[in-house]
Amino acid sequence: MLTEAVIGLPDPRLHRYVDRYLGYREQAAAALVRREAAGAFVVLILGWGAPLDVTDPRAGDRGAYGTNAFLAGPFDGWCATRTAGEGAGVQVLLTAPAARRLLGLPLGELANRAVPVDWLGGWLARLPDELAGLPDWASRFARLDAALAARLAVTGPVDPRLLRAWRLLDGSGGGLGVGALAEEVGWSRRHLAVRFRREFGLPPKTVARLLRFQRAYAMVGRTLVTAPVGDPHPTAGPAGGGWADLAARCGYYDQSHLIREFREFAGATPATLARPGSHSSNPG
């Protein structure tokens, strides 16, 4: 279970790339398994102590095993983590454009994969030991600031048309169609889809679905429901409305569409995830 969680705010010069750092310490006397929801972002875990496994139920070779420092995503399906013992580290969530810039490689190489940071080597592989050796969270966050700023100084910017496409799609909450997106940046639909998938890991249509899901998932995470356990199509839902209302607010066709997306991207219905004790992580 989580025994310590500390939020760190990056240097203001990094806010375009990193929203926050999360320092954590946890102790699991027995095996602790969490379901991790899909997301159009990259998760960076720089940990030390007890190792963990990251498993994609769709394909075992996409996971990372026996590691405490890894990169994951973007993922278009849920996965699971498993650990036991005492571990600590810093979690950083990166948007696809930020990860593309900081990592210096197309995210098509990371899509639907979890890899130990040793896979990238260099600056990133050294960070976990450096962070573990520092005396407190403030100094760890400062070391991360320095490392990320140094990366930004030596990596080139993302193609401005791709960056504009991402911002338009993100700003619409996934509501902008691929055709309109292509027209906005002056590319054909095919060219946009190929370039977008190579650089950001997933095609724009899938990213649009994930952005919409992430909004709904965050709303579910802020509420409790009273639907009966085991009800596959609950009518109870967030405060102020039911699941059909949530579906409409988040751009889904109907309640059934919402539930299908949750099953695919989170491995459970929204009602299940909203119950206390659900071992799932919020994607944003």
Side-chain angles (χ1 to χ4, degrees), residues 68-187:
N68 46 31
F70 64 91
L71 282 160
F75 264 81
D76 61 9
W78 64 275
C79 60
T81 60
R82 182 183 187 278
T83 189
E86 183 175 355
V90 180
Q91 173 183 283
V92 185
L93 293 183
L94 300 169
T95 66
R100 175 64 181 89
R101 173 77 185 268
L102 288 166
L103 299 177
L105 81 163
L107 298 189
E109 299 181 28
L110 276 175
N112 290 310
R113 295 181 64 192
V115 297
V117 294
D118 293 346
W119 182 76
L120 280 173
W123 72 281
L124 196 56
R126 294 190 294 269
L127 268 178
D129 286 342
E130 293 178 9
L131 296 178
L134 293 172
D136 53 42
W137 293 115
S139 57
R140 291 173 186 132
F141 298 151
R143 177 67 190 97
L144 274 171
D145 279 347
L148 297 182
R151 283 297 295 172
L152 292 172
V154 299
T155 56
V158 174
D159 184 303
R161 288 162 296 184
L162 281 173
L163 188 57
R164 174 168 168 74
W166 179 275
R167 288 174 175 168
L168 287 168
L169 193 57
D170 187 31
S172 72
L176 193 62
V178 178
L181 198 61
E183 186 175 346
E184 286 282 350
V185 299
W187 284 340

Side-chain angles (χ1 to χ4, degrees), residues 238-263:
W243 297 120
D245 179 66
L246 177 64
R249 280 186 282 155
C250 293
Y252 290 98
Y253 299 125
D254 54 27
Q255 178 179 321
S256 295
H257 185 201
L258 171 78
I259 291 172
R260 287 197 302 272
E261 294 282 270
F262 267 72
R263 288 189 185 278

Side-chain angles (χ1 to χ4, degrees), residues 269-280:
T269 67
T272 299
L273 294 172
R275 293 186 186 113
S278 174
H279 293 298
S280 298

